[in-house]
Amino acid sequence: MYNELIPDLTGSSYRKINIITNYLAAKYFIGVIMKKRNINQFDEKEEEIADGLMYLGLGRAVARTLAYLNNGEEVTSAMLEQGSGLRQPEVSIAMRELKKRDWINEREEKKIGKGRPYKIYSLKVGFNKIIALVENQHRKAVDVAQEKIERLKKFGK
C-alpha cells in the first residue's frame, strides 16, 4: 500500500527530485542571504533633472544616470537600467564618462556562489558641485564666445 504512494527513486524520477530540491534550496538561500534592494523608478523630478543636464550638454545616458544617483543611494548597474530606463550598454558608457570625470565611486560586491562580483556605484562628488562644474564650463564658453564676438566687431566696417 505504501509502496504505491512512494515514487520509484531510481533513474529519472530521482534525478528530477534532486533537481527540484536543489532549485528550491538555492532559491531559499538566495532569498535569505541576498540583500533586498528597492528599485526607484524615475519620477517627474528625475525627468526634470535629466532634461536640464541634457540641455546643458551632457549626454542622455550621463544625464539620466546622474539624475538617478542624485538620491544619494548606492546602486548596481541593473538598478540603474531598470530605474532610469537605460539599456546596459548605455549604463556602461555613462559609467565610463562619469569615472573619467571622477564623479562616482565604484566598488565590487561578491555574488553568492560562483560568478563575477557586481559593481555598486554612488556619487563621489555632491550633485551641487557637479552643477557648479558644469556652470563654470558654460561660463568659460560664454566668455570665449564674447571675446570672439568683440574681436570680430573690430574687423567690421
Side-chain angles (χ1 to χ4, degrees):
M1 178 172 152
Y2 291 109
N3 289 342
E4 295 170 6
L5 297 175
I6 299 173
D8 179 17
L9 296 180
T10 60
S12 66
S13 295
Y14 178 74
R15 187 170 171 264
K16 287 177 188 173
I17 291 172
N18 194 19
I19 290 170
I20 291 169
T21 304
N22 288 340
Y23 168 78
L24 292 174
K27 187 173 179 182
Y28 171 77
F29 286 116
I30 288 171
V32 169
I33 297 170
M34 210 165 129
K35 294 178 184 174
K36 184 170 177 126
R37 297 189 190 267
N38 293 328
I39 299 173
N40 300 324
Q41 299 296 315
F42 253 41
D43 61 14
E44 288 180 28
K45 177 185 165 191
E46 279 98 8
E47 289 290 351
E48 186 175 349
I49 290 169
D51 288 344
L53 291 169
M54 285 186 286
Y55 181 80
L56 292 173
L58 295 177
R60 178 180 174 272
V62 171
R64 291 186 74 82
T65 299
L66 284 173
Y68 195 82
L69 290 171
N70 184 38
N71 66 13
E73 295 179 13
E74 290 186 320
V75 298
T76 65
S77 293
M79 292 168 72
L80 266 170
E81 288 173 45
Q82 293 172 358
S84 67
L86 295 171
R87 294 176 298 117
Q88 189 279 323
E90 293 173 310
V91 171
S92 295
I93 291 167
M95 288 302 149
R96 195 174 314 125
E97 176 69 24
L98 293 171
K99 279 190 261 184
K100 186 171 81 173
R101 293 178 186 230
D102 201 29
W103 288 354
I104 60 165
N105 290 314
E106 177 185 276
R107 68 179 178 85
E108 290 187 348
E109 192 168 294
K110 184 155 175 52
K111 287 183 180 179
I112 298 164
K114 294 181 181 180
R116 296 168 68 180
Y118 55 92
K119 294 181 181 177
I120 299 178
Y121 304 100
S122 62
L123 283 180
K124 183 180 209 175
V125 178
F127 189 74
N128 288 334
K129 172 103 176 175
I130 291 171
I131 299 305
L133 292 168
V134 172
E135 180 183 21
N136 285 340
Q137 288 175 341
H138 280 275
R139 288 190 191 279
K140 287 177 185 175
V142 168
D143 291 345
V144 168
Q146 191 63 45
E147 287 175 16
K148 298 286 183 190
I149 291 169
E150 294 302 320
R151 181 103 169 116
L152 289 171
K153 284 181 180 179
K154 290 180 182 178
F155 291 118
K157 294 183 185 181

